[in-house]
Amino acid sequence: MFRYTKRTLVIEIVTILATAIMLLPFWILVMGSFKTGPEILSSSAIAPPASPTIDNFVALLSPSSMQSGNVFSGLFSSFVITAGSILCLVVLGALAAYALTRSTSRWGNRAFYVFLVAIILPTQLGTLPLYIGARNLGLVGTPWGMIVIYTGMLMPLSVFLYSNFFRRLPREYEEAAIIDGATRLQLFTRVVFPLMAPATGTVSILAGLIVWNDFFTALIFLNGTPFQTLPVVMYSFVGSLVSQWNLIFAVVIISMIPILIFYSFAQKKFIQGFAGGLKG
């Protein structure tokens, strides 16, 4: 029988305090987005707004607002680049990982270790040669170019995650499909890939978070173009609206909503992916 002891009480108190500390920045962000400009400067950061207002969101999203064009443009660019990158990483990463894990030659293991090395190396090391190569190919300043760049940067992560799942997948599924007359493409699309739903959820969420929140790469490759992503747009607000933190907090909240919605739909597969289980 479970006994509620003093040790249990202490653990609960520590857990509650740790949770409150971790949620404090989010609380400040939400409260600040509903405050007016003068109030956010005069009141305590953790104090709730005296008169909550949605004027900050109206100022950012209203069609008549000067900032709305930048916000909607940033949202659209971020959505296109993130969705395109996730699609390419799922399709190409799954195919590459399946080929590497099912290969019986030595090159399969060697190529897999090359992907592991690419995960370890800092991305910033290749920024200069990557920019020169992308500029020569006409990929700088376009969302399609960013999709190609992000796909190349995150492909090692996608291959690594998919490979771990493919190694756990029993070959009996594939052997049964081959006996039934399935081609290699049918085997992958109808048998293997549907079983990789937990891995697909993990790759989609991790890649989506990285691409959606990335600032450095988007600043380097999209700076000064009409296709700037939302993090770069937020950076311009910080530079031009230093004293209007209420608007800055509001645009941060706007940037969080799409990725939170996406996570709420994919979190089940994401958790299954981290648990490492396959559902038959």
Side-chain angles (χ1 to χ4, degrees), residues 81-92:
I81 293 172
T82 303
S85 300
I86 291 175
L87 179 62
C88 292
L89 287 168
V90 168
V91 175
L92 299 179

Side-chain angles (χ1 to χ4, degrees), residues 49 84 92 102 118 122 172 200 202-203 213 222 227 239 243-244 259-260 268 276:
L92 299 179
R102 292 298 185 259
E172 287 77 8
T200 301
T202 303
V203 171
N213 294 321
L222 294 177
F227 305 108
S243 61
Q244 301 185 44
I259 203 67
L260 289 176
K268 181 179 180 180

Side-chain angles (χ1 to χ4, degrees), residues 99-270:
L100 292 176
T101 54
R102 292 298 185 259
S103 174
T104 56
S105 61
R106 294 182 179 179
W107 73 266
N109 288 331
R110 292 175 180 175
F112 178 72
Y113 289 129
V114 171
F115 280 106
L116 291 182
V117 172
I119 295 177
I120 299 173
L121 291 176
T123 306
Q124 290 77 7
L125 289 177
T127 300
L128 181 58
L130 180 62
Y131 182 86
I132 295 174
R135 183 188 60 187
N136 294 337
L137 294 174
L139 300 178
V140 175
T142 64
W144 320 116
M146 292 301 299
I147 292 174
V148 174
I149 292 170
Y150 280 123
T151 300
M153 292 171 57
L154 298 176
M155 185 59 66
L157 176 64
S158 177
V159 171
F160 173 74
L161 293 174
Y162 272 116
S163 296
N164 289 334
F165 274 79
F166 283 134
R167 288 193 174 95
R168 297 189 184 99
L169 179 66
R171 293 178 181 265
E172 287 77 8
Y173 291 107
E174 301 166 58
E175 294 171 355
I178 293 175
I179 293 174
D180 291 338
T183 63
R184 282 292 178 183
L185 181 60
Q186 292 174 336
L187 172 64
F188 180 80
T189 57
R190 299 184 181 182
V191 178
V192 176
F193 187 73
L195 293 173
M196 294 297 105
T200 301
T202 303
V203 171
S204 299
I205 290 182
L206 289 179
L209 287 172
I210 294 173
V211 176
W212 184 271
N213 294 321
D214 182 61
F215 170 77
F216 179 77
T217 307
L219 179 66
I220 296 298
F221 290 89
L222 294 177
N223 190 27
T225 69
F227 305 108
Q228 293 179 348
T229 57
L230 201 55
V232 180
V233 172
M234 285 191 290
Y235 176 71
S236 65
F237 284 169
V238 172
S240 61
L241 304 176
V242 175
S243 61
Q244 301 185 44
W245 288 103
N246 52 324
L247 294 181
I248 297 172
F249 288 168
V251 75
V252 172
I253 293 292
I254 293 171
S255 70
M256 293 171 56
I257 293 175
I259 203 67
L260 289 176
I261 294 175
F262 174 64
Y263 178 79
S264 66
F265 284 102
Q267 63 176 332
K268 181 179 180 180
K269 299 300 180 185
F270 181 69

